[in-house]
Amino acid sequence: MRSGAGAKASELAVCINTQTPLVLFLITPQKLELMPPLDAESGLTGLVEGVDYRFSPGGVTRMVFPLVQRLLSSGVLESAHWISLNPTAPPTLTFSGVTLHNLALDPARLASYARTKEAIWGTVHGLPDTDLDEELFWSVDFTDYAYYNRITAERMRTLDQQHDFDLFYVHDFQQLPVGQMLNTLKPKVFRWHIPFEEEQIPEAWKPVLSTYFDSYDMVVVSTDRYLAALKAFGHSGAARRIYPYVDPGEYTAPPQEEVRRTCARLQVEPQDDVLLVVGRMDPMKGQDRAIRALAELLREHPRLKLVLVGNGSFSGSGKGLGLSKSASWRAHLEGVAEERGVRSRVVFTGHLPQRELDCFYERCSILLLPSLREGFGLVVVEGWLHHKPVIVTQRAGVAELIKEGSNGVLFDPDEPGELVVKMSKLLQDEGLRRRLGRQGFTTAKQCSLDAASEAEGRLFAEVVGA
Amino acid sequence: MNLLVQFLPELYAALILAITALVARLASYVVGRGMRQSAPQVAAGARRLGAVIVWLIGGIFAIQEVGINSDILLLVIALAGVAVLVALREQLENFGAKYFTDIYSPYKVGDSIRVREFSGKVIEINATSTVLITGDDQLVSIPNSIFMTEVLVNTSPQAWKELTVPFTLGSGVDLPLFESELLKRLGKLRLRLDRRYPPVLALKSRSAQGTELTLTIMIRRPEERDALSAEVVKRVGETIQRFQLPRPKPVEAKPEAAPPPAKAPAAPPAKASE
């Protein structure tokens, strides 16, 4: 801490760790080598967004980066170093005042690391691999998961020697062991972004996870329900709930002409009633349920068109962990649409830049979140910021903010009939849709960058003892 | 020429010291190889002891070569040794006890223990004493020698399950690679271990000399504790050895060629607190 201790933490030097990097490089390593070296000084100068690099989809870009920017500009942070897994990136570069440190793994280790973290993710999301329950932490793959976390901890330690950090901020389950490996007396905060439900965690994992959680000074989860589950799990250390967040200033309505042009380019005609689903191509996202519901609803609502926005995540991308589930899931969804005879009423847009995504938020009649399980569901907040009515799975974290019929509609993802009935009712009642959208816009304030930066600033102050 | 003859004894002495240095390193290596199955800290101590003995013998020969009467020197060393032993008897007892309790006592920092009329949580084990914090927040310092003669009760939950193996890695060793390899080796013992607790490698400190680490594993059956302790210590020692010896260079014709045992392991002393 660079200034005197007061009520608030100020000018902290923080070391952030996320598995997913902020920036993904699209440029080939060969081409990158021919360019002037990208380093801490030059940053991304000379590279073109969308051609040479792009921002990772998801929470890292929408949440962590804006938060860091806000805390830097408000003086809570003096400096930020950010360590991620980014095999195709230069080792270090600076972007918008944040120094990005990129770690690499050789392809074999990357593959087995990815298998381990995918097994943990699947289990926590209710897709347990019972063969792995007891064996996961003893598998050969796990040694590479440990390896990745150890090189992360080692890099953090080396940087700490150079920069004397005030705080370590570790994000999500992939990096949970880092706290224990770090061996520092400095404060460590861990943010768990995925669902935390005690019944989903195998008994055999509980002691290990418990030990990992105990190595942090503070654990942050996304909902009150997860916080209660964490306590019930036996975590006796400090823990807080901070809702995930977005910067509302980033969600402006594009002009109608731009909306029309963008939609037309992606086969959405002016007469279509748009049902929008935004999420990466992943079985957990439940897009198949949306397609089946569409097939039922088209009888009564023939103008309905389902727009599926999203592609692979960092894990699914060739530049990331190279897991192939996004391509196979999209092929499956196309098959389901063909089989139900609704292929012409389903649009797959792939990944869209934020501006184009805003066009679809503006254009849609309803935003649907059909996930089987969802850590939070920030897309619902995005829909609210566009004054749109939302239908949300009960198994999303954001469901705890929804008052049925007031700011949204909830459904049980195991009851497809319920989804069809509720959607039909909403499609028939424009007044209800408007009311839900208006009320949702108010609710979205709880998930704003303002609210989160205030909460995170207080939390930092608490853990550093300011 | 005369000058050479004049300083011939000194040259012989220098030669003896040079040979002594080589023999000391060789002795250290041979002892280390011979004690591969022992606890890493015991092996490291034995290696050091072997080297010291060689240096003592070599030193005496070198002194005799330059014409100094080594009988008096030996007598002085012996008397000084006795004086030190008498003066520091209690401290040495504690030092010695620390050495043995490090290796063989079933407690570590963080455990709750009871010894004599004292009970509490261990917060420090230093060279001469073990410090407890009692239930009523008092600090109690217990000389280490007491742990050699008194009944100790470790009241920590599942204390009987826990095996800890502290050891030191040379500074040049790649810790992530070492850990990955060690976890693979220990994974082969998983049927004998409590599978809810995978091995944990904790970094204790780091210096230019090396990295202090502690491996913790949890056993399943109390009756296998001894055997498992020996096996785990052996596997740790083997992994240390593999990482601290120079790696064989990739040779086209003989890829399996054994690495030359040129260097003794940099610093593998370790303890098995079992």
Side-chain angles (χ1 to χ4, degrees):
Chain A
M1 213 178 329
R2 309 304 165 216
S3 64
K8 283 177 72 175
S10 60
E11 297 190 2
L12 303 175
V14 68
C15 183
I16 299 157
N17 170 221
T18 60
Q19 172 216 265
T20 303
L22 176 65
V23 178
L24 274 176
F25 282 79
L26 308 173
I27 190 171
T28 61
Q30 292 79 8
K31 202 174 160 194
L32 199 59
E33 270 182 26
L34 297 176
M35 299 188 62
L38 294 178
D39 53 26
E41 297 304 313
S42 60
L44 295 171
T45 311
L47 298 184
V48 181
E49 186 186 348
V51 177
D52 299 323
Y53 72 91
R54 70 176 167 86
F55 292 101
S56 295
V60 159
T61 301
R62 284 188 299 173
M63 283 174 54
V64 183
F65 184 60
L67 174 74
V68 173
Q69 292 287 288
R70 175 66 63 90
L71 295 178
L72 280 169
S73 64
S74 64
V76 173
L77 299 184
E78 180 201 50
S79 63
H81 288 256
W82 185 336
I83 300 173
S84 304
L85 177 58
N86 205 351
T88 58
T92 306
L93 62 116
T94 298
F95 179 74
S96 291
V98 181
T99 310
L100 308 175
H101 301 269
N102 300 303
L103 298 174
L105 283 180
D106 66 68
R109 281 192 195 277
L110 193 63
S112 52
Y113 158 74
R115 282 193 296 273
T116 305
K117 75 117 190 169
E118 206 57 18
I120 299 172
W121 186 90
T123 300
V124 172
H125 281 80
L127 299 172
D129 181 340
T130 46
D131 290 343
L132 267 181
D133 274 6
E134 280 218 343
E135 290 298 318
L136 181 74
F137 296 107
W138 296 90
S139 64
V140 173
D141 280 351
F142 181 75
T143 65
D144 288 325
Y145 177 82
Y147 176 85
Y148 166 61
N149 277 281
R150 182 65 78 177
I151 61 170
T152 304
E154 290 288 279
R155 179 67 71 89
M156 291 168 99
R157 188 189 61 79
T158 308
L159 289 172
D160 187 36
Q161 286 171 344
Q162 295 163 12
H163 303 285
D164 191 18
F165 297 126
D166 296 299
L167 178 71
F168 294 92
Y169 197 8
V170 179
H171 283 259
D172 223 352
F173 74 100
Q174 304 97 330
Q175 308 272 198
L176 185 57
V178 163
Q180 190 188 53
M181 293 175 169
L182 205 45
N183 182 44
T184 178
L185 295 173
K186 291 182 177 178
K188 291 169 283 182
V189 176
F190 178 74
R191 172 122 202 179
W192 178 273
H193 286 280
I194 58 176
F196 193 92
E197 286 160 18
E198 200 196 348
E199 65 273 15
Q200 300 299 337
I201 296 174
E203 281 301 316
W205 293 11
K206 287 183 178 174
V208 184
L209 294 186
S210 214
T211 309
Y212 288 152
F213 280 129
D214 287 346
S215 67
Y216 291 93
D217 299 283
M218 177 72 74
V219 176
V220 182
V221 292
S222 297
T223 70
D224 288 332
R225 202 174 79 207
Y226 300 155
L227 188 61
L230 186 66
K231 297 286 181 192
F233 174 78
H235 180 66
S236 56
R240 295 281 183 282
R241 181 272 293 154
I242 296 178
Y243 287 130
Y245 46 87
V246 291
D247 183 357
E250 298 288 317
Y251 295 86
T252 51
Q256 281 307 306
E257 176 53 26
E258 188 181 339
V259 173
R260 193 198 58 74
R261 238 188 4 255
T262 303
C263 291
R265 187 169 60 78
L266 290 160
Q267 285 83 50
V268 174
E269 306 303 332
Q271 69 276 12
D272 291 332
D273 243 348
V274 174
L275 172 62
L276 181 66
V277 174
V278 181
R280 67 176 182 276
M281 287 291 138
D282 188 310
M284 192 59 67
K285 295 291 179 182
Q287 292 100 335
D288 53 336
R289 285 166 162 75
I291 295 172
R292 291 193 184 96
L294 173 77
E296 299 283 322
L297 288 163
L298 274 172
R299 289 184 210 121
E300 282 182 39
H301 307 277
R303 290 185 303 157
L304 202 56
K305 188 168 262 185
L306 174 63
V307 176
L308 301 176
V309 178
N311 207 341
S313 64
F314 173 69
S315 297
S317 76
K319 300 289 180 189
L321 305 187
L323 297 172
S324 61
K325 64 182 174 180
S326 54
S328 60
W329 182 241
R330 176 166 171 163
H332 172 75
L333 293 177
E334 286 174 335
V336 172
E338 291 284 356
E339 181 191 299
R340 299 281 165 143
V342 295
R343 182 64 188 85
S344 64
R345 305 303 297 171
V346 180
V347 175
F348 293 85
T349 69
H351 171 75
L352 290 181
Q354 189 62 45
R355 184 76 181 172
E356 292 185 9
L357 179 55
D358 283 337
C359 290
F360 278 95
Y361 277 127
E362 275 303 298
R363 180 65 180 76
C364 75
S365 302
I366 297 172
L367 176 79
L368 169 63
L369 182 68
S371 307
L372 306 185
R373 190 164 263 107
E374 183 80 43
F376 190 71
L378 268 179
V379 294
V380 170
V381 179
E382 293 184 325
W384 279 335
L385 289 172
H386 286 272
H387 298 86
K388 294 298 172 180
V390 296
I391 298 189
V392 177
T393 169
Q394 289 170 353
R395 294 207 201 116
V398 72
E400 80 177 33
L401 286 176
I402 293 180
K403 294 187 181 79
E404 179 75 19
S406 168
N407 58 358
V409 174
L410 294 170
F411 74 97
D412 180 347
D414 291 336
E415 295 288 338
E418 187 187 3
L419 174 60
V420 173
V421 168
K422 288 190 168 178
M423 286 240 294
S424 182
K425 185 181 168 198
L426 205 50
L427 283 165
Q428 286 163 8
D429 190 342
E430 194 181 343
L432 175 61
R433 292 206 301 271
R434 286 220 175 104
R435 281 199 305 280
L436 293 182
R438 267 201 308 272
Q439 199 56 43
F441 183 78
T442 307
T443 309
K445 287 174 186 157
Q446 294 182 60
C447 305
S448 69
L449 180 59
D450 284 345
S453 56
E454 192 63 34
E456 300 267 7
R458 278 197 305 272
L459 184 134
F460 287 1
E462 185 181 338
V463 293
V464 301
Chain B
M1 190 65 185
N2 282 345
L3 198 66
L4 188 67
V5 172
Q6 184 186 345
F7 286 103
L8 204 54
E10 283 80 2
L11 284 174
Y12 276 136
L15 184 63
I16 287 169
L17 288 176
I19 292 169
T20 301
L22 284 174
V23 174
R25 294 194 71 166
L26 183 65
S28 173
Y29 175 74
V30 170
V31 171
R33 293 285 291 180
M35 298 191 70
R36 268 179 305 175
Q37 311 294 321
S38 309
Q41 192 176 34
V42 175
R47 279 202 312 275
R48 276 198 295 272
L49 185 63
V52 166
I53 290 170
V54 170
W55 271 109
L56 273 177
I57 296 168
I60 289 167
F61 276 125
I63 285 168
Q64 281 178 335
E65 203 56 47
V66 292
I68 298 171
N69 187 347
S70 60
D71 295 347
I72 293 173
L73 182 69
L74 282 173
L75 184 65
V76 169
I77 290 173
L79 285 174
V82 170
V84 168
L85 284 174
V86 170
L88 302 175
R89 190 174 61 85
E90 284 184 7
Q91 286 86 338
L92 287 172
E93 267 180 25
N94 287 329
F95 275 118
K98 163 75 165 62
Y99 179 78
F100 284 104
T101 52
D102 270 358
I103 301 168
Y104 296 113
S105 279
Y107 73 95
K108 64 178 191 323
V109 171
D111 282 356
S112 297
I113 62 168
R114 192 168 68 236
V115 63
R116 285 194 179 162
E117 68 272 32
F118 306 108
S119 62
K121 190 171 190 174
V122 180
I123 60 167
E124 182 185 334
I125 305 172
N126 60 42
T128 57
S129 61
T130 292
V131 183
L132 308 185
I133 184 160
T134 63
D136 50 357
D137 259 1
Q138 290 184 324
L139 279 181
V140 179
S141 178
I142 303 173
N144 286 330
S145 57
I146 288 179
F147 291 91
M148 299 295 288
T149 54
E150 295 289 330
V151 173
L152 167 87
V153 182
N154 189 330
T155 54
S156 311
Q158 307 196 81
W160 67 267
K161 284 182 167 235
E162 198 169 284
L163 276 179
T164 60
V165 183
F167 57 95
T168 307
L169 274 186
S171 53
V173 175
D174 183 322
L175 176 59
L177 277 179
F178 172 85
E179 180 178 35
S180 180
E181 177 65 24
L182 183 61
L183 291 178
K184 274 181 199 150
R185 284 173 180 242
L186 295 171
K188 294 179 192 298
L189 300 174
R190 62 185 181 275
L191 285 177
R192 304 287 172 204
L193 302 175
D194 184 336
R195 282 195 264 182
R196 295 171 304 154
Y197 300 90
V200 172
L201 193 60
L203 195 155
K204 294 296 172 198
S205 66
R206 204 186 287 256
S207 66
Q209 282 70 46
T211 306
E212 302 280 337
L213 297 149
T214 301
L215 171 73
T216 305
I217 59 163
M218 302 288 259
I219 64 173
R220 275 180 75 192
R221 298 192 188 96
E223 65 271 23
E224 290 177 345
R225 192 178 160 89
D226 267 359
L228 266 169
S229 175
E231 185 60 34
V232 169
V233 163
K234 180 179 152 215
R235 282 172 190 252
V236 170
E238 286 170 352
T239 315
I240 291 172
Q241 197 142 30
R242 186 172 160 208
F243 275 78
Q244 293 193 157
L245 285 174
R247 301 292 182 87
K249 288 180 184 166
V251 180
E252 302 88 312
K254 295 177 182 174
E256 297 300 318
K263 277 188 175 177
K271 71 166 185 171
S273 71
E274 180 275 323

